[in-house]
Amino acid sequence: MSSTRGELRHVMLGSVFTPEVPLGPTRDILITCHTSATGKGKLHGGPECRALRSASSVNQIDIPFGEAVKRLCANCRWPLPTDSPILPLGAAVSEVDSLAIWLDREREDEEDIEAERDAAVALSTGDYPPRTEDASDAQDDDEDDEAGHDEEWERYDRARNLRSGRHEHWRRLHSYLIRSNEAVAEYPFLAPWADGLQGRLAAVLDAERRAFAALVQPVRLLEAAAVRVMPTPQFSGDPGFTGLGAEAEKTFRRAWHEWSRRAIWSWRRLEDQDFAVYTVVSDAFGRRRKGKPEAHAAFSRLTADWIRQARKEAGRPTSTPWELVALKAPALPRTRHSEPERDPLTLWEAAVIATYQVAFNRKAGTTALLVPHLIAEQLLACASYDMPVQRLAPDGAALSAGTLLQQWDHLGADRPR
């Protein structure tokens, strides 16, 4: 046993460790167990276990952990010193064993599959129903039109929720795999036991990635990257700005900042970022109404022009239209119970990784992407210690993406680029 006796943690060893789990050096650590007078049957963490109530007497024994693990009671807690090596090993085992809950899930039924297909069709036009400006409908059809309008909005709500659900589940599975990799790196002797679980989870993870990618439009990711390289537009007087007075230029710059920032890191259609500009203009007017409609119209023309420029930039030919890059996406940070998860990846980054993946090294948690030039530039420009990014085969090497990714892993993917 460890020498620290003052502080103890009570751990359900029998529910964490099974005979299949390699124990490494901890197999020789003595643990105190309680058993019936016969010495047969389960080993218990304390004499108060219900399974020992019918025993005529209870014996206390010290036994090597490796011998005890086959007989541990699954309902007992063992008091262990806080510096016992069994505790961190148990945490690592739990990280790997938790992968099992995501395996052998029920297959989706035909209704679920059809909902995914409909979501993909709806989201291909944008995040919201297309705007209609047909005012020629008959008056007595207004009620039917309103019902149809509500049904269409509900359809897009469902589609967005499906995409968000796929995105969040894919990221959560990825995080579980990364954490299990970290556990195995800390205790390499766990690798043979962990490999099967990790391999099966990787297959589930890839299926979830594909399902998420099916709900994302690649052209929007490219257009978002094009916004990043657009020059900052210069302010020029527009008759529609009159109502803003001296605040016109400030409002113009703020509108560009908000629109471009949201567009660059989103998977949405550029037109779906218009509300950011609308909000900026509305805030600038406050309660004033004079000149407000004209200002909104002027800024609508501006954003339409920005969108045209972005799409022109996205369609510009380059000498290297596609590039192979490697990256290591971070796991979700750990949160306490009921705390919201804060994904370090932006929506754009997550969608790019899911859409353009061509190789994945599950043991290293690294990914190779084949992406358009503008997307590669944005990924490289925003690389960080949390998510290192590097071009693969910049000299035109003819090796496969998987081989190049393994070589990058070997060089150390955790170093900032």
Side-chain angles (χ1 to χ4, degrees), residues 14 34 171 193 238 248 266-267 299 303 308 319 341 352 361 365 383 388 397-400:
H34 296 78
R171 287 289 291 140
W193 165 71
D238 186 298
S266 176
W267 57 38
F299 275 94
T303 52
R308 283 192 294 271
S319 57
E341 291 177 330
V352 164
N361 187 326
L399 298 174
S400 70

Side-chain angles (χ1 to χ4, degrees), residues 2-22:
S2 181
S3 60
T4 301
R5 296 282 181 176
E7 297 182 28
L8 298 175
R9 284 187 59 190
H10 294 76
V11 185
M12 298 180 72
L13 295 179
S15 64
V16 175
F17 294 95
T18 61
E20 296 78 23
V21 176

Side-chain angles (χ1 to χ4, degrees), residues 74-286:
N75 299 314
C76 281
R77 294 182 182 272
W78 270 259
L80 298 178
T82 54
D83 64 348
S84 170
I86 294 176
L87 292 176
L89 175 61
V93 169
S94 295
E95 290 287 10
V96 176
D97 197 47
S98 66
L99 304 184
I101 66 175
W102 303 108
L103 304 174
D104 301 324
R105 312 286 280 187
E106 291 184 6
R107 286 181 172 272
E108 293 183 329
D109 57 28
E110 188 58 39
E111 185 177 340
D112 292 331
I113 295 172
E114 184 56 38
E116 295 272 347
R117 290 173 182 157
D118 184 67
V121 172
L123 294 172
S124 67
T125 66
D127 272 33
Y128 306 96
R131 296 174 183 172
T132 58
E133 299 180 1
D134 187 0
S136 62
D137 294 334
Q139 186 71 28
D140 56 0
D141 288 338
D142 285 350
E143 188 172 329
D144 290 339
D145 290 346
E146 185 174 345
H149 177 270
D150 290 344
E151 185 177 328
E152 192 69 357
W153 275 89
E154 289 175 3
R155 178 194 181 205
Y156 278 79
D157 284 343
R158 289 193 300 269
R160 291 195 303 274
N161 289 337
L162 270 172
R163 182 182 58 194
S164 294
R166 287 295 193 184
H167 164 234
E168 291 166 6
H169 190 49
W170 168 64
R171 287 289 291 140
R172 199 167 292 124
L173 291 180
H174 174 266
S175 299
Y176 280 120
L177 182 61
I178 296 303
R179 290 170 190 161
S180 74
N181 284 339
E182 293 169 353
V184 172
E186 186 72 19
Y187 297 97
F189 56 81
L190 291 177
W193 165 71
D195 190 63
L197 281 172
Q198 290 178 321
R200 291 172 64 197
L201 184 80
V204 175
L205 175 65
D206 193 59
E208 198 66 26
R209 175 191 67 82
R210 293 174 184 273
F212 165 46
L215 301 174
V216 174
Q217 297 296 310
V219 66
R220 292 176 194 155
L221 306 177
L222 179 61
E223 290 171 356
V227 173
R228 190 186 68 86
V229 299
M230 285 172 57
T232 302
Q234 298 300 307
F235 175 76
S236 59
D238 186 298
F241 297 165
T242 303
L244 289 165
E247 294 290 307
E249 184 170 358
K250 179 181 177 181
T251 304
F252 173 88
R253 299 198 182 287
R254 187 178 167 213
W256 164 253
H257 172 76
E258 289 297 320
W259 182 85
S260 61
R261 179 179 63 85
R262 293 171 185 269
I264 288 169
W265 296 115
S266 176
W267 57 38
R268 292 183 175 184
R269 196 177 57 145
L270 295 180
E271 285 84 352
D272 290 334
Q273 309 299 337
D274 285 359
F275 188 70
V277 176
Y278 182 90
T279 301
V280 168
V281 176
S282 294
D283 288 347
F285 272 93

